[in-house]
Amino acid sequence: MEPFKKQTGIVTLLDLPNVDTDQIIPKQFLKRIERTGFGQFLFYDWRFIDGKKPNPDFEMNADRYRGATILATRANFGCGSSREHAPWALLDYGFRCLIAPSFADIFHNNCFKNGILPVKLSESQVETIFERVRKTPGYRLTVDLEKKKIVSDDGLDFTFELDEFRRHGLLGGLDDIGLTLQYENKILAYEANHREISPAPPGQTSI
Amino acid sequence: MKPKTMFEKIWEAHVVHEEAGQPSLLYIDRHLVHEVTSPQAFEGLRLTGRRVRRPELTFATMDHNVPTTNRKIPIQDAVSAKQIETLVQNCSEFGVALFDLDSPDQGIVHVIGPELGLTLPGQTLVCGDSHTSTHGAFGALAFGIGTSEVEHVLATQCLLQDKPKTFWIEVNGRRPYGVEAKDIILSIIGRIGTDGGTGSVIEYAGETIRRLSMEERMTVCNMSIEAGARAGMIAPDEKTFDYLRGRRYAPDDFDAAVERWRKLPTDVGSRFDRVLRVDAASLAPQITWGTNPGQVVAVDVCVPNPSDFSDPNARKSAERALDYMGLKAGTAMTEIPIDRVFIGSCTNARIEDLQRVARFVKGKRVALKVYAMIVPGSQQVKKQAENEGLDRIFKEAGFDWRESGCSMCLGMNPDILKPGERCASTSNRNFEGRQGKGGRTHLVSPIMAAAAAVEGRFADVRKYGRKGA
């Protein structure tokens, strides 16, 4: 996983609340067995007309947002299905940071496993970002995870909250499985002491 | 001793390691796997040279991609076929039990888990699927995870989890005729919103919940995720134990297990972060009008007007939803004609759902212009339904009777809506395009779906009364 330290990039907008993961990556693209190559299908039904022509009414398609690495959107982003294909598609398209008033739980978790930083700001702070982005083509923000700050050349300066564990993991690009395996002795001890709770079901042999 | 919630008891019994300011390392008792969210996880194991730590606690089936027509015909979609074949290979390579397409136990992962006794009270159970909340109906802590977490559980049998908040939803009062478990949960989602449960584990309680059958409890817990909740759960009781006794993977020392399970229910005097009380007696059958499960009304009212919503986000959502759904504010819900009916999914494709539908449609006919299908949740459900002659009732009434799978709940297989088609669906999500691009989904209970099939438009099932059904 690529570490996330500091990102400066163009901000694009998705002005809708409750964007579900079916919209982020429609079901017909979940049949692939790879983690890569999902960016072309991101927001597929909204981005394209008949699956080919870019939809001019989809704000993100405007030239001014080309090359954006930060997505600002509304509340409860990523609700619905647990599909990790959603963060894979966002990452593959180029997004490293998402800004919204709130995120759905499973999606939020999935972002951190893929080096994407989801930043929660208040509704009014998100509104401020929307206003500034709409006013200034090519509007950029700098997201600094070390300092937990979002700043811009025009003086925007927001601080955000993130628990230390996740911040540390993203800064270092750490692999959760590697971290957990450091507790191998504890897992073994748990397994030895809790056979009653988690036995092998009848007919299943423990290896 | 401080009183504890059921959630706290299960959580504490599964903590392997915890440190202040860090997520807890939780032990996972049961891991269910399906073809869509697992290939990249197994590939991750392969790339890092890791094995499945406890394959004997891991069970797989294929459900999302599978056609629900004749199983003997090879799968036409090459990409789907490859994903299914990949699961077969992965299970064989890593020693995971698989209920394959030709298995008499194949079915939707959230239907077969309980059916086989894989789901047990007091467990932590995960699956790379958001509707894993279903299994909470047994008093388990069950939640959906992403593919990276699937890999994490495969490799370590543990998960890093932040401790969620607790949310007590108490439902009391006698349900009127025509109000099903589906209506209870839809009305709750309508009240608290699709993010009302975010960060929380919901415990459903109260006399109405106690009176629900196990299958009805599964319907309620299933849709906890549609309220954004991490999980939903219901305390185990005699019904739970009776349901599980004799199931294939239920513990051999069943009585000893029951004694442990009796200690799980929430202690009197426990504190919850949030409480909601619902009066079941005042509920009506529910029907969604929009493009998320929170956009729901009682069947006897009209499509809402966006200007009714004071919150600007809700107003904008409503405008967009009505446009997508092709609906006009003020139209009575019962005036909306439908093209398709889908009775199935991990929410409503168990035997009792089918039995209720059969009782309702017996001697009636699906409206001429409606195409209606019934997709059993598992091969076991299918077999039982056929043994009881339900399939004949369905076919005589004009329903298509299919093989088990996720089918038109999510349109990953050949069962999809065409653009503009309107569907009465017993599934769990009415998102734009969920059942097919441009498809218009209205979520309802099985009996409401059956009534819509017969009338060709949405109908208030209460008019049929107990006699008619």
Side-chain angles (χ1 to χ4, degrees):
Chain A
M1 185 177 95
E2 199 179 329
F4 187 109
K5 291 190 166 76
K6 194 169 168 179
Q7 272 282 325
T8 300
I10 292 175
V11 185
T12 191
L13 303 177
L14 182 55
D15 194 2
L16 284 171
N18 303 315
V19 173
D20 58 77
T21 53
D22 272 83
Q23 307 316 318
I24 299 174
I25 179 90
K27 71 274 168 195
Q28 65 267 36
F29 306 115
L30 307 186
K31 298 175 184 177
R32 298 157 56 90
I33 56 172
E34 300 84 19
R35 271 176 193 260
T36 51
F38 289 99
Q40 54 189 314
F41 309 123
L42 180 72
F43 300 122
Y44 190 80
D45 289 344
W46 290 346
R47 241 170 91 200
F48 301 107
I49 297 170
D50 299 329
K52 291 186 206 93
K53 225 172 86 208
N55 177 0
D57 296 333
F58 189 56
E59 189 167 11
M60 209 179 283
N61 280 340
D63 274 348
R64 57 184 291 186
Y65 298 120
R66 189 155 296 169
T69 56
I70 299 168
L71 172 66
T73 184
R74 303 294 186 181
N76 199 27
F77 187 74
C79 59
S81 155
S82 63
R83 57 188 72 168
E84 199 162 318
H85 311 67
W88 294 339
L90 288 159
L91 185 70
D92 195 51
Y93 183 85
F95 293 120
R96 292 300 310 279
C97 175
L98 313 173
I99 300 171
S102 62
F103 297 90
D105 286 335
I106 305 178
F107 174 80
H108 189 247
N109 263 337
N110 285 341
C111 284
F112 291 100
K113 315 285 182 193
N114 292 283
I116 298 174
L117 171 64
V119 174
K120 284 183 208 173
L121 293 177
S122 70
E123 294 268 0
S124 70
Q125 287 173 320
V126 171
E127 186 53 37
T128 302
I129 291 175
F130 265 77
E131 284 166 9
R132 294 194 184 195
V133 169
R134 290 225 167 102
K135 216 162 62 189
T136 315
Y139 189 81
R140 294 155 82 87
L141 286 174
T142 296
V143 182
D144 185 339
L145 183 56
E146 298 265 9
K147 295 185 182 147
K148 293 195 274 188
K149 270 186 171 301
I150 293 185
V151 296
S152 71
D153 291 343
D154 65 346
L156 183 136
D157 187 343
F158 292 151
T159 303
F160 61 88
E161 293 298 320
L162 184 67
D163 68 81
E164 267 318 291
F165 179 83
R166 287 195 162 120
R167 192 174 79 102
H168 183 72
L170 270 186
L171 285 171
L174 303 179
D175 161 28
D176 278 354
I177 298 178
L179 287 178
T180 295
L181 289 174
Q182 291 173 7
Y183 297 106
E184 174 67 17
N185 285 338
K186 288 213 158 197
I187 301 173
L188 284 171
Y190 182 92
E191 286 174 335
N193 295 329
H194 292 78
R195 289 186 198 284
E196 190 182 61
I197 292 182
S198 193
Q204 293 286 98
T205 332
S206 292
I207 292 175
Chain B
M1 223 168 57
K2 185 175 162 281
K4 283 181 185 164
T5 66
M6 176 165 60
F7 160 74
E8 285 167 328
K9 293 179 194 181
I10 299 174
W11 177 275
E12 286 170 12
H14 289 85
V15 171
V16 173
H17 176 73
E18 59 185 350
E19 248 171 86
Q22 287 197 11
S24 303
L25 191 62
L26 279 194
Y27 202 78
I28 302 300
D29 299 326
R30 201 67 89 232
H31 188 187
L32 306 179
V33 171
H34 67 77
E35 79 277 19
V36 178
T37 56
S38 68
Q40 296 86 352
F42 282 111
E43 182 63 13
L45 294 184
R46 222 173 268 123
L47 291 172
T48 48
R50 289 168 180 147
R51 63 189 174 91
V52 175
R53 185 183 182 88
R54 294 197 68 185
E56 76 277 17
L57 304 184
T58 313
F59 294 83
T61 193
M62 49 276 279
D63 53 6
H64 284 60
N65 256 331
V66 305
T68 56
T69 45
N70 192 341
R71 285 277 147 86
K72 295 195 178 73
I73 301 169
I75 294 172
Q76 300 298 303
D77 178 344
V79 195
S80 286
K82 176 152 191 216
Q83 198 171 58
I84 287 169
E85 181 50 32
T86 302
L87 181 66
V88 175
Q89 283 170 7
N90 284 332
C91 288
S92 147
E93 180 180 340
F94 289 94
V96 171
L98 169 70
F99 306 106
D100 206 342
L101 262 191
D102 55 6
S103 162
D105 299 317
Q106 181 272 345
I108 305 174
V109 66
H110 309 308
V111 175
I112 70 169
E115 201 169 69
L116 294 169
L118 290 167
T119 308
L120 300 173
Q123 279 179 337
T124 48
L125 182 154
V126 297
C127 173
D129 191 283
S130 59
H131 291 109
T132 308
S133 57
T134 310
H135 307 263
F138 290 80
L141 176 59
F143 51 90
I145 57 178
T147 297
S148 293
E149 290 178 312
V150 169
E151 184 181 341
H152 194 285
V153 177
L154 289 173
T156 68
Q157 203 58 36
C158 294
L159 256 190
L160 288 160
Q161 286 290 301
D162 291 315
K163 195 170 185 177
K165 295 195 185 77
T166 52
F167 189 171
W168 172 265
I169 298 185
E170 192 176 309
V171 189
N172 289 306
R174 186 165 284 278
R175 291 187 275 157
Y177 170 79
V179 173
E180 302 207 340
K182 182 69 160 280
D183 302 305
I184 294 175
I185 187 63
L186 278 173
S187 72
I188 289 172
I189 299 164
R191 272 176 72 172
I192 67 176
T194 53
D195 58 356
T198 302
S200 305
V201 167
I202 297 174
E203 180 173 346
Y204 303 95
E207 48 165 310
T208 314
I209 300 292
R210 295 257 69 82
R211 276 203 298 266
L212 296 179
S213 70
M214 286 315 296
E215 296 195 353
E216 290 174 317
R217 293 178 189 182
M218 285 187 245
T219 299
V220 171
C221 288
N222 172 273
M223 289 190 74
S224 303
I225 181 67
E226 299 338 316
R230 219 45 205 101
M233 56 205 314
I234 293 171
D237 57 13
E238 294 307 319
K239 275 185 203 169
T240 319
F241 311 145
D242 288 346
Y243 177 98
L244 288 170
R245 191 172 282 115
R247 303 254 168 198
R248 187 183 316 160
Y249 293 102
D252 283 333
D253 51 348
F254 194 80
D255 292 337
V258 167
E259 285 320 301
R260 287 199 306 278
W261 296 340
R262 283 189 202 284
K263 298 183 188 119
L264 288 169
T266 291
D267 299 329
V268 175
S270 297
R271 283 180 48 84
F272 284 79
D273 295 300
R274 190 177 167 194
V275 172
L276 176 75
R277 292 200 163 76
V278 176
D279 174 21
S282 67
L283 293 181
Q286 305 284 304
I287 174 168
T288 62
W289 52 269
T291 51
N292 74 54
Q295 292 176 321
V296 63
V297 289
V299 64
D300 54 359
V301 303
C302 296
V303 175
N305 195 318
S307 63
D308 299 343
F309 297 92
S310 53
D311 172 59
N313 272 332
R315 195 181 316 134
K316 198 156 60 178
S317 281
E319 279 166 9
R320 195 185 162 91
L322 291 189
D323 181 51
Y324 179 85
M325 294 296 289
L327 292 175
K328 272 208 186 74
T331 310
M333 294 307 291
T334 48
E335 281 170 20
I336 301 171
I338 55 153
D339 309 299
R340 312 264 306 241
V341 171
F342 170 60
I343 296 175
S345 86
C346 58
T347 313
N348 281 125
R350 298 184 179 81
I351 191 67
E352 291 173 10
D353 295 315
L354 303 191
Q355 288 163 342
R356 282 198 307 282
V357 170
R359 276 199 297 276
F360 183 86
V361 302
K362 190 169 187 177
K364 300 187 180 81
R365 283 288 308 175
V366 171
L368 266 185
K369 61 177 193 61
V370 172
Y371 171 73
M373 66 196 284
I374 301 182
V375 185
S378 70
Q379 287 298 304
Q380 285 199 28
V381 169
K382 178 166 189 269
K383 192 173 161 204
Q384 187 178 345
E386 290 175 354
N387 287 342
E388 294 176 10
L390 306 186
D391 59 321
R392 285 198 307 278
I393 295 172
F394 297 146
K395 286 180 211 161
E396 277 163 21
F399 285 91
D400 202 355
W401 174 243
R402 298 293 190 97
E403 298 289 336
S404 53
C406 296
S407 184
M408 210 164 64
C409 174
L410 86 167
M412 266 195 81
N413 48 71
D415 306 339
I416 54 171
L417 293 179
K418 294 191 194 79
E421 276 188 331
R422 191 178 297 284
C423 181
S425 179
T426 68
S427 56
N428 40 57
R429 288 188 175 135
N430 50 342
F431 298 150
E432 286 182 27
R434 170 83 177 179
Q435 296 191 299
K437 187 176 156 70
R440 292 161 171 167
T441 304
H442 295 266
L443 304 178
V444 287
S445 73
I447 197 169
M448 282 282 287
V454 168
E455 298 206 12
R457 59 182 60 227
F458 289 108
D460 188 340
V461 289
R462 292 175 298 185
K463 73 182 180 192
Y464 289 92
R466 290 210 180 268
K467 257 196 317 203

